[in-house]
Amino acid sequence: MTELADPEWRLIRDDPRPGATQMALEEVAVRTAHEADVRTVRTYGWEPSTLSLGYRQEASSVDWEFCEREGIDVTRRQTGGGGIYHDRYADISYTIVAPAEEVPGDLMECYALFCEPILDALDRMGLDADFAEVPKASIHRPSCYLRDVNPAHDVVVHPADGGPSLKVSGNAQYRRRDAVIQHGSISFDREPEHHLGVFADHDVSVERFDERVGCITDECDLVRDEAVSILGDALGEWCDADEGSWSADELAAARELAAKKYDAEAWVEHRETPTP
């Protein structure tokens, strides 16, 4: 539990949903924080598997034919960085939403605070994980997991076999309507063929991918549901959250926003925000 425990928080152990809806729900959670004075932490998955582009990422970096052939959705995040392939099985994601005035104004301090439950969860799973100690150069910038490793917000695992550290989680923040939103991807398993295939014009081999990216399944024998539950528990205890769920109004608002923005070609391919 942290100093965040005084305000009202809810933990949502969310259902798998399309990528556009998952991104829209984050905006809805911001509205709820301001209008209902309720902050949100949640775990979630992606159905179908989805490539989320970083805010400034060029659409030309995507292999659109591969994504269509493999049934992979594409959306665009509000946060920067490279694209992340969110496999319906191999990826576990989370979101934290809080009013900006309640968290550190310094970006690095806020990352440190918001990543506390992530590192706690990985520790409970038996992983030796921490922020990256030193930067690593990019080997394919369009990909979050293969671009520069940043000690400020990239989490690595130190393999039990003594090998070099491997990136196991990417985390990013943005601010909207005086709220801070942090979301992150945790690698439960590796799907290198799909993770690489969604990007156009890459020359990264599967072997090179495996030398950069770690996963939970390499370090312990948890099944996915157990790992998701541990992450949810760590998030909930971190802010003393009550178990909660989306309201019908929130889900309706998210569906409308997903259709209007996060699933729209103007946003996904051209980063054009729809008019109100």
Side-chain angles (χ1 to χ4, degrees):
M1 188 184 303
T2 74
E3 63 271 20
L4 298 175
D6 287 338
E8 182 178 354
W9 286 80
R10 63 178 174 176
L11 166 65
I12 299 177
R13 301 178 192 264
D14 213 351
D15 297 327
R17 304 179 194 275
T21 303
Q22 298 292 28
M23 295 297 93
L25 282 166
E26 294 188 347
E27 287 202 37
V28 171
V30 171
R31 188 183 313 165
T32 299
H34 284 283
E35 296 178 359
D37 199 30
V38 176
R39 299 127 194 89
T40 301
V41 290
R42 69 166 177 144
T43 59
Y44 64 100
W46 308 73
E47 181 60 54
S49 299
T50 301
L51 169 64
S52 71
L53 302 179
Y55 179 71
R56 299 189 182 279
Q57 187 172 348
E58 295 296 331
S60 59
S61 65
V62 179
D63 188 330
W64 295 94
E65 291 184 2
F66 178 89
C67 291
E68 182 176 1
R69 184 172 66 249
E70 298 298 320
I72 298 169
D73 275 359
V74 182
T75 189
R76 185 179 293 275
R77 307 187 306 274
Q78 293 276 10
T79 50
I84 304 177
Y85 169 66
H86 304 278
D87 189 82
R88 60 166 62 98
Y89 166 77
D91 177 278
I92 299 172
S93 293
Y94 76 91
T95 303
I96 301 171
V97 179
E101 67 268 16
E102 296 179 359
V103 301
D106 180 83
L107 180 63
M108 297 303 99
E109 289 182 15
C110 198
Y111 268 126
L113 176 63
F114 279 18
C115 284
E116 283 180 7
I118 310 309
L119 294 171
D120 180 27
L122 293 172
D123 180 66
R124 297 184 193 193
M125 296 178 203
L127 276 67
D128 180 9
D130 205 343
F131 289 113
E133 300 91 342
V134 294
K136 287 186 180 180
S138 168
I139 61 174
H140 187 63
R141 283 197 60 79
S143 168
C144 169
Y145 274 86
L146 301 178
R147 68 186 311 170
D148 312 63
V149 173
N150 190 323
H153 49 73
D154 288 329
V155 174
V156 299
V157 60
H158 306 287
D161 63 9
S165 62
L166 304 171
K167 183 169 178 177
V168 73
S169 177
N171 308 275
Q173 285 185 18
Y174 67 101
R175 295 187 179 229
R176 182 178 176 85
R177 292 183 61 193
D178 297 321
V180 175
I181 301 92
Q182 178 166 308
H183 53 199
S185 164
I186 300 173
S187 176
F188 176 71
D189 203 350
R190 280 190 288 253
E191 289 288 344
E193 291 84 0
H194 282 92
H195 196 126
L196 295 170
V198 298
F199 298 107
D201 302 323
H202 75 83
D203 59 359
V204 181
S205 67
V206 169
E207 292 74 22
R208 187 74 178 103
F209 179 91
D210 289 344
E211 291 173 355
R212 293 279 297 215
V213 181
C215 61
I216 293 170
T217 57
D218 278 358
E219 305 301 320
C220 66
D221 58 1
L222 290 173
V223 300
R224 188 180 185 280
D225 286 349
E226 291 173 328
V228 173
S229 179
I230 290 171
L231 175 61
D233 291 346
L235 284 164
E237 292 172 22
W238 172 72
C239 57
D240 195 24
D242 295 323
E243 297 281 345
S245 60
W246 302 111
S247 70
D249 287 346
E250 286 177 310
L251 291 173
R255 286 192 292 268
E256 180 179 353
L257 182 58
K260 185 177 182 179
K261 179 178 180 179
Y262 289 101
D263 202 27
E265 179 180 330
W267 171 256
V268 176
E269 297 190 26
H270 307 293
R271 206 173 66 245
E272 295 175 0
T273 304
T275 55

